[in-house]
Amino acid sequence: MAVATHGTASNYLQRAPSPSTLADVVDLILDKGLVIDAYVRVAVIGIELVTIDARIVIASVDTYLRFAEAVNRLDLTTTEAAGLAELRDGGGNEKDKAKGKFEGAKEAFTGSGKQK
Amino acid sequence: MALTASRSGPQEMSETSVYVYGVTWADGAAAPPGTGVGGGPLDTVERGELAAIVSTVPAGPIRARRRDLLRHLEVVQEVFASNTVLPVQFGSVFPAIDVVSEELLAQRYEEFVELLHQFEGLAELRIRAAYKQEEILAEIVQGDCGIARLRELTRGASAADPRQVQLGEAVARSLTAVRNRDARTISGALLECARDAVVEEPRTEYELMRASYLVERRKIAGFDKRMDTIARRERDRISFTYTGPLPPHSFVSLSSGGG
């Protein structure tokens, strides 16, 4: 069945009617919903396998080393020139954010962006 | 064909149990066609204005098999397509039909009625957002001279070099700041189109947000549009998963006690 997305093919992000991965299903129906005083609370077997969505502790030496390795692996030569200028503008102040939003909206109406 | 307490047959307590999917209005309640979790037929248990969607399962622990998890979700979704429904957590089982009627529906009657009114015409829209790893790391390196310099110093160094930890820590700090800023901007923009929101903690290093929004069903198109604008604006650095309309899984809860 087609997904009702209220729009045309120009929609950038498609909404899915229900979760697409088992982890997302589990997330929705095991972690959420009404918890009632049932006689049998799930002696759910086999769930560990799908919920290994390990909650990462950001502040750990392991994580730091992974970040360092990932950053060292980056190849910035291709993006460096364009990236630096762009990032200086887009450094996160609120005015730029708002501007970005309007430009995004404009693009949505005028179709695909042009290559500069 | 609804089963009621008075019509339920002799109990064979040790043989089967009654699995509950959700609570809905009896008016218009129909069990979806087909079978439920574990393969038993689906049915409704009615009490006054309320109906529980149920199916028969073998007594004993529930195995969370893939098809049963999916089936639980499907059943709730099918009811939701034409009625307001309060989804119940996976694996909630009662010993018999009349126990569902007497001890679930009767004991919580007023509360269920109130909740059903409260969620009338509302749907949950769920969003997960994660940074594209290389893009966000490049952004961080290029946006912070200190990190860029540390990176140059450690590129040839061994993993045991203490400066690696220092570099990683700086990246983590910077990522947290970027994440907080982006999450605030995005969830703020979405909340303008919603009645309520539940924002959860990110679970992985590059996850940015995991949140559910409670939206009037007739205003979903507006929320879609807002979401689309955000995803388009952020397409180079963030990927989104957007799901719904779902029954209000993240928003329902019962007061404690009463059972």
Side-chain angles (χ1 to χ4, degrees), chain A residues 4-48:
Chain A
T5 46
H6 299 279
T8 63
S10 75
N11 272 0
Y12 180 74
L13 181 69
Q14 298 288 305
R15 170 161 47 77
S18 46
S20 53
T21 68
L22 197 57
D24 285 338
V25 172
V26 167
D27 185 30
L28 207 56
I29 66 178
L30 261 183
D31 292 354
K32 301 172 176 61
L34 289 178
V35 179
I36 52 181
D37 309 310
Y39 280 70
V40 178
R41 174 54 21 77
V42 211
V44 187
I45 303 158
I47 272 299
E48 309 80 76

Side-chain angles (χ1 to χ4, degrees), chain A residues 4-6 10-22 24-47 50 53-58 61-76 79-81 83-84 86-87 90-94 97 100-102 104-105 107-109 111 113, chain B residues 60-64 66 69-70 72-73 77 86-95 99 103-104 108 112 115 124-126 128 133-134 137-139 141-142 151 154-155 159 164-165 167-169 171-172 175-176 179 181-182 185 189 200 203-206 210 220-221 224 227-229 231-235 240 242-246 249-250 252-254 257 259:
Chain A
T5 46
H6 299 279
S10 75
N11 272 0
Y12 180 74
L13 181 69
Q14 298 288 305
R15 170 161 47 77
S18 46
S20 53
T21 68
L22 197 57
D24 285 338
V25 172
V26 167
D27 185 30
L28 207 56
I29 66 178
L30 261 183
D31 292 354
K32 301 172 176 61
L34 289 178
V35 179
I36 52 181
D37 309 310
Y39 280 70
V40 178
R41 174 54 21 77
V42 211
V44 187
I45 303 158
I47 272 299
V50 280
D53 192 10
R55 293 172 199 215
I56 303 263
V57 184
I58 303 287
V61 171
D62 264 8
T63 313
Y64 296 156
L65 287 176
R66 266 202 304 279
F67 277 138
E69 198 206 344
V71 158
N72 280 329
R73 237 187 301 125
L74 279 183
D75 177 13
L76 296 179
T79 53
E80 209 111 34
L84 274 176
E86 200 181 292
L87 280 157
N93 75 48
E94 288 307 309
K97 284 253 154 205
K101 195 188 283 183
F102 287 125
E107 241 176 63
F109 289 114
Chain B
I62 303 288
R63 255 192 104 81
R66 183 190 179 86
L69 290 161
L70 292 173
H72 175 104
L73 188 72
Q77 287 274 85
L86 309 171
V88 167
Q89 198 182 42
F90 181 90
S92 302
V93 171
F94 288 78
V99 181
E103 296 191 21
L104 177 66
R108 297 276 194 173
F112 283 136
L115 282 173
E124 172 170 342
L125 297 175
R126 192 156 171 77
R128 269 200 295 112
Q133 182 176 331
E134 291 199 0
L137 291 178
E139 186 179 316
V141 172
Q142 289 164 341
R151 172 172 172 271
T154 55
R155 275 189 101 175
Q164 300 282 17
V165 175
L167 170 64
E169 194 174 356
V171 170
L175 184 60
T176 302
R179 173 190 289 128
R181 194 188 66 209
D182 285 335
T185 307
E200 297 159 38
R203 295 189 196 168
T204 61
E205 285 159 345
Y206 294 96
R210 190 176 270 259
I220 289 176
D224 280 350
M227 193 55 228
D228 197 69
T229 304
R232 191 180 294 267
R233 185 184 73 216
E234 304 288 353
R235 63 181 179 270
F240 291 90
Y242 181 28
T243 314
L246 302 160
H249 295 273
S250 303
V252 289
S253 64
L254 290 171

Side-chain angles (χ1 to χ4, degrees), chain B:
Chain B
M1 52 140 211
L3 294 177
T4 61
S6 56
R7 266 189 283 154
S8 67
Q11 291 168 27
E12 295 158 29
M13 308 250 311
S14 55
E15 304 286 316
T16 60
S17 303
V18 180
Y19 185 101
V20 177
Y21 299 83
V23 176
T24 183
W25 293 121
D27 186 20
T35 57
V37 167
L42 288 155
D43 212 330
T44 58
V45 177
E46 294 185 12
R47 177 137 197 148
E49 286 186 280
L50 300 177
I53 307 293
V54 302
S55 72
T56 305
V57 289
I62 303 288
R63 255 192 104 81
R65 290 175 304 186
R66 183 190 179 86
R67 68 166 178 271
D68 289 332
L69 290 161
L70 292 173
R71 189 61 189 143
H72 175 104
L73 188 72
E74 269 170 21
V75 168
V76 178
Q77 287 274 85
E78 279 175 52
V79 176
F80 178 66
S82 60
N83 208 335
T84 306
V85 61
L86 309 171
V88 167
Q89 198 182 42
F90 181 90
S92 302
V93 171
F94 288 78
I97 292 289
D98 58 349
V99 181
V100 174
S101 179
E102 299 296 331
E103 296 191 21
L104 177 66
L105 299 181
Q107 249 177 58
R108 297 276 194 173
Y109 195 89
E110 296 304 325
E111 199 173 357
F112 283 136
V113 167
E114 200 183 312
L115 282 173
L116 282 168
H117 281 301
Q118 191 185 323
F119 288 105
E120 197 97 62
L122 300 177
E124 172 170 342
L125 297 175
R126 192 156 171 77
I127 288 150
R128 269 200 295 112
Y131 286 116
K132 298 180 178 181
Q133 182 176 331
E134 291 199 0
E135 282 74 5
I136 196 64
L137 291 178
E139 186 179 316
I140 284 170
V141 172
Q142 289 164 341
D144 186 319
C145 310
I147 290 176
R149 200 167 45 241
L150 252 181
R151 172 172 172 271
E152 289 309 320
L153 291 172
T154 55
R155 275 189 101 175
S158 81
D161 189 318
R163 287 176 304 184
Q164 300 282 17
V165 175
Q166 207 184 328
L167 170 64
E169 194 174 356
V171 170
R173 211 181 309 124
S174 183
L175 184 60
T176 302
V178 172
R179 173 190 289 128
N180 290 344
R181 194 188 66 209
D182 285 335
R184 211 178 317 121
T185 307
I186 294 170
S187 60
L190 291 174
L191 193 56
E192 286 173 10
C193 304
R195 284 274 194 91
D196 200 0
V198 174
V199 180
E200 297 159 38
E201 285 295 306
R203 295 189 196 168
T204 61
E205 285 159 345
Y206 294 96
E207 192 164 275
L208 154 66
M209 63 183 281
R210 190 176 270 259
S212 282
Y213 294 84
L214 191 64
V215 178
E216 286 175 58
R217 295 184 89 160
R218 57 190 179 86
K219 291 186 178 169
I220 289 176
F223 193 94
D224 280 350
K225 212 165 153 191
R226 179 64 60 97
M227 193 55 228
D228 197 69
T229 304
I230 294 168
R232 191 180 294 267
R233 185 184 73 216
E234 304 288 353
R235 63 181 179 270
D236 291 337
R237 53 202 289 275
I238 300 174
S239 53
F240 291 90
T241 310
Y242 181 28
T243 314
L246 302 160
H249 295 273
S250 303
F251 297 92
V252 289
S253 64
L254 290 171
S255 61
S256 56

